[in-house]
Amino acid sequence: MEAPGGGRERKTPTPDGYPGPDPADDETESAHRRAAAAGDTAAMSVLGAMLLRRGDLDGAERQL
């Protein structure tokens, strides 16, 4: 079972009281994906760790 918001927490709860995904996390992930695609090994490592925390083992493996 997955937590509301895909396991990512938001600082301010949604109106229904559940934490939703933080848009800043999506922006951070996008930036790391772009940098990783350009060959930045540090970004690949960070992105891999983000994906591992989310439970995306296949995606994380490609980055790590």
Side-chain angles (χ1 to χ4, degrees):
M1 187 164 146
E2 188 172 297
R8 293 180 284 174
E9 291 190 22
R10 181 179 180 157
K11 292 192 182 354
T12 55
T14 58
D16 60 1
Y18 291 101
D22 189 345
D25 289 344
D26 292 335
E27 292 171 19
T28 301
E29 181 178 335
S30 294
H32 285 297
R33 283 188 184 277
R34 286 190 302 274
D40 183 339
T41 56
M44 290 176 193
S45 178
V46 171
L47 179 58
M50 291 173 79
L51 295 171
L52 274 176
R53 276 185 247 122
R54 187 180 305 146
D56 182 358
L57 302 180
D58 292 331
E61 183 179 27
R62 284 190 296 270
Q63 299 302 320
L64 299 171

